[in-house]
Amino acid sequence: MKTTNRILFLFALFFCSLNYVTLAQTEHIVTLNVNTGEIVKPDIDPFCNFGQASDVTNEDFTIYVKNGDTIRWVGISTSSENDSVEIHSINYQGGKNVLGENVLNGVDGVVTGTVTNAQRGDEEKYNVFFKVFNNGEQRNGMFQIDPKVRVVE
């Protein structure tokens, strides 16, 4: 009888663990690739992207997430290892505010946010504000780009 109880307990524990794994949140790393040697305002699109297909504009680039997922925005230079890109903030622009805050500020050039109270089909338009540094010197003030977040489940 004790062996049967142990087996039932192990099966219950296994199924609870399996359910936990399927509900686990995902961390999405969104990398902004910037040609730091050539980027200029106001037309920055030719000099930066999120690694999307060439027929998808930066404005149409969309991150697909689930409620509870974490998104981490980072920037990299595509033109020089001496240059850097710092994500300054993520600012809510329109739609459903799935990140739960109007402004998410960066720490050490990286911004992190969590999808909260979102439902399937919710979409948020937001601005990424970033700085570009050439050999440690900031170039042309603050840049901005405006992609989307869409909740799929």
Side-chain angles (χ1 to χ4, degrees):
M1 191 68 142
K2 289 182 181 181
T3 303
T4 304
N5 286 340
R6 285 183 185 162
I7 291 173
L8 289 174
F9 174 75
L10 289 174
F11 274 119
L13 184 62
F14 171 76
F15 283 112
C16 288
S17 298
L18 183 63
N19 189 35
Y20 176 77
V21 169
T22 61
L23 295 176
Q25 290 79 28
T26 301
E27 180 178 66
H28 303 269
I29 306 294
V30 178
T31 303
L32 177 61
N33 305 291
V34 180
N35 179 339
T36 55
E38 296 184 34
I39 191 168
V40 293
K41 291 180 182 179
D43 188 21
I44 66 169
D45 282 343
F47 308 105
C48 57
N49 64 65
F50 295 98
Q52 73 269 29
S54 60
D55 63 337
V56 177
T57 66
N58 289 326
E59 186 175 87
D60 290 333
F61 174 75
T62 304
I63 306 161
Y64 295 95
V65 298
K66 297 177 186 173
N67 198 40
D69 284 1
T70 299
I71 307 170
R72 186 176 315 271
W73 289 267
V74 298
I76 62 168
S77 171
T78 60
S79 58
S80 173
E81 61 186 42
N82 296 324
D83 294 350
S84 62
V85 177
E86 292 183 2
I87 308 298
H88 180 265
S89 66
I90 303 297
N91 295 38
Y92 169 76
Q93 183 181 358
K96 170 76 171 157
N97 191 341
V98 301
L99 297 171
E101 295 185 41
N102 288 331
V103 178
L104 299 169
N105 289 306
V107 175
D108 296 326
V110 177
V111 175
T112 303
T114 302
V115 179
T116 58
N117 298 321
Q119 297 179 5
R120 183 183 185 134
D122 287 348
E123 185 172 275
E124 176 177 335
K125 189 79 171 153
Y126 63 95
N127 286 317
V128 177
F129 287 92
F130 63 99
K131 298 176 184 178
V132 171
F133 295 87
N134 300 118
N135 292 314
E137 297 292 321
Q138 187 173 344
R139 179 183 181 127
N140 297 337
M142 190 86 66
F143 296 90
Q144 78 178 53
I145 197 164
D146 58 345
K148 304 174 191 174
V149 172
R150 174 166 226 149
V151 180
V152 294
E153 270 185 41

